[in-house]
Amino acid sequence: MESSVISCEVNHASDKRKTCKEEEEEEELLVSPKTLERIEEMITTGLPEANFFQPLRQYQGFWCFPVFLRGAILAQENFRAKPEDIFLCSAPKTGTTWLKALSFATVTRTHFDDSESPLLRKLPHDCIPYLEHVSIKNSTRELPPNLPLLSTHAPYSWLPNSITESGCKIVYICRNPKDVFVSLWHFVRNIESENREVISLEEGFDLYCRGTSVYGPYLDHVLGYWKASLEFPDRVLFLKYEEMMEDPAFYLKKLAEFMGYPFSLEEENEGEVQKIIDLCSFDKLSSLEINTKGKVYYDQGAMFNNHTLFRKGKVGDWKNYLTSEMAERLDKIAEDKLGKSGLKF
């Protein structure tokens, strides 16, 4: 079973509630050929280029694959958020898949029984599409109406004004940068593409430390949302992967409360919180057929196998890959970057 083909046309969140035919018609009207040509020319000729296993382009201070950058720019120009929308935000390999699964299961818990959840037959990324590459034609046909969830890897400074200036909510998850790098290195090197450049862990680490990685610099990405959470605590929930792993029940209830879908005392007594934790656990998700055999295709023939989204999920796995010198280098970068922000890993 293959997951849906990802494309980078941007629809409004409410498009998820429309028929496939309506979606296709709106997509044709939403983004004109001239707009696409303008963005394509800007990406291919007007932005700095680097390589992190695959070509990257730098835009407004961050590096990104061109296919996702097109979608991010289109979102900046066209997306209109609604107050009820909830955006799950993260840099790659920081717990995104887990956060999506937990959020989706929580918001839809009254729509499906334990054996009917779409998470059993779809990637969490198909249940909650990315803002950067929404066409969502094949990922929401069977989902309940008025699902308010969308996700993005975009840094806070890239978010459309309609998101940052509206009453919608943002959930951000971060992770220790050493574990992020190791997970990212394993994932990106497994992307199958004609443009893939094989580089060593040491070369990749050096690029990562210099900020030249997917949606990097990573610590700048984290700081953008951290500062927003301090300024707008009622609208931005900042989570740490390690803390969630240590006490998933506490943070799931906190997440549910923030999103506006709190667990009742009756639900807690009936074990609903633990049911969702079990459904979204690494062991459960990684064993599902869709996550062992499915594939995701990007443009220009790039592809990755779904199982690469479920490598280990362990805290501290970086110790198996990084030398003490590498760890010290990244710790020093984090200390200098985070400074007096109050954020520590």
Side-chain angles (χ1 to χ4, degrees):
M1 178 179 180
E2 292 182 351
S3 57
S4 58
V5 177
I6 297 175
S7 70
C8 62
E9 288 87 2
V10 176
N11 300 320
H12 190 281
S14 62
D15 290 345
K16 300 190 292 299
R17 307 154 198 163
K18 301 177 182 179
T19 68
C20 231
K21 182 177 180 181
E22 288 173 333
E23 284 179 344
E24 291 171 355
E25 291 174 349
E26 278 206 2
E27 284 178 358
E28 292 177 0
L29 294 174
L30 181 60
V31 184
S32 69
K34 287 186 177 180
T35 298
L36 292 175
E37 289 176 8
R38 172 178 57 79
I39 293 174
E40 188 68 23
E41 182 178 1
M42 178 177 67
I43 291 174
T44 56
T45 63
L47 298 176
E49 184 177 13
N51 206 300
F52 186 81
F53 296 88
Q54 284 191 303
L56 298 174
R57 294 284 176 171
Q58 188 184 56
Y59 176 69
Q60 296 180 348
F62 292 87
W63 294 95
C64 190
F65 293 142
V67 59
F68 299 151
L69 182 53
R70 294 187 199 102
I73 295 172
L74 286 170
Q76 287 181 345
E77 297 184 356
N78 294 291
F79 187 80
R80 298 294 178 267
K82 289 187 173 182
E84 64 269 24
D85 289 336
I86 303 168
F87 291 88
L88 309 180
C89 306
S90 63
K93 313 314 296 178
T94 59
T96 306
T97 305
W98 189 34
L99 176 63
K100 282 189 173 187
L102 290 171
S103 300
F104 181 84
T106 299
V107 170
T108 64
R109 66 184 184 270
T110 60
H111 293 85
F112 309 104
D113 64 29
D114 296 342
S115 63
E116 294 180 342
S117 173
L119 288 170
L120 297 174
R121 62 183 186 276
K122 294 176 180 288
L123 272 179
H125 304 296
D126 284 338
C127 293
I128 303 177
Y130 284 105
L131 182 63
E132 295 94 302
H133 34 92
V134 190
S135 163
I136 51 175
K137 296 177 185 177
N138 293 321
S139 59
T140 60
R141 294 177 186 175
E142 301 174 33
L143 303 187
N146 303 316
L147 186 72
L149 297 166
L150 275 175
S151 66
T152 182
H153 280 322
Y156 188 80
S157 59
W158 283 16
L159 295 181
N161 290 337
S162 65
I163 296 177
T164 57
E165 296 177 1
S166 71
C168 63
K169 294 184 177 181
I170 293 172
V171 180
Y172 184 77
I173 187 169
C174 70
R175 189 181 184 186
N176 184 293
K178 296 190 286 291
D179 274 331
V180 173
F181 165 72
V182 169
S183 183
L184 184 63
W185 181 74
H186 279 283
F187 177 75
V188 177
R189 67 198 286 263
N190 284 309
I191 294 177
E192 297 180 17
S193 171
E194 294 179 357
N195 295 323
R196 186 167 69 92
E197 178 179 327
V198 179
I199 60 177
S200 67
L201 182 142
E202 290 76 16
E203 291 174 301
F205 182 78
D206 183 61
L207 289 169
Y208 181 79
C209 287
R210 292 192 277 115
T212 309
S213 61
V214 187
Y215 288 97
Y218 172 64
L219 292 170
D220 288 342
H221 198 290
V222 173
L223 270 178
Y225 284 95
W226 171 249
K227 292 177 180 178
S229 73
L230 297 179
E231 186 174 1
F232 309 109
D234 58 327
R235 292 198 291 110
V236 183
L237 175 63
F238 191 93
L239 300 171
K240 291 183 178 180
Y241 181 82
E242 293 79 10
E243 293 177 345
M244 291 182 67
M245 288 286 287
E246 187 173 335
D247 193 350
F250 173 83
Y251 284 100
L252 178 57
K253 289 188 285 186
K254 183 174 183 177
L255 173 64
E257 181 79 29
F258 178 80
M259 293 191 299
Y261 296 82
F263 292 97
S264 67
L265 182 59
E266 181 181 4
E267 285 181 308
E268 291 192 42
N269 291 336
E270 292 177 350
E272 188 64 32
V273 173
Q274 191 59 46
K275 285 181 182 178
I276 290 178
I277 291 172
D278 293 342
L279 171 64
C280 302
S281 69
F282 182 91
D283 289 343
K284 177 67 174 180
L285 292 180
S286 64
S287 67
L288 297 173
E289 182 178 2
I290 179 61
N291 298 326
T292 58
K293 298 181 179 179
K295 299 178 180 180
V296 172
Y297 293 89
Y298 296 105
D299 69 348
Q300 300 177 352
M303 178 274 288
F304 68 83
N305 293 292
N306 291 356
H307 69 79
T308 60
L309 294 168
F310 302 92
R311 191 182 67 87
K312 288 185 179 180
K314 301 293 185 182
V315 173
D317 184 51
W318 63 267
K319 296 175 184 177
N320 296 315
Y321 297 91
L322 304 184
T323 65
S324 58
E325 291 77 15
M326 295 167 79
E328 289 172 4
R329 178 183 176 186
L330 196 46
D331 286 342
K332 182 62 166 59
I333 292 172
E335 181 181 348
D336 292 343
K337 176 64 67 172
L338 299 180
K340 299 179 180 179
S341 68
L343 177 62
K344 293 182 179 180
F345 288 101

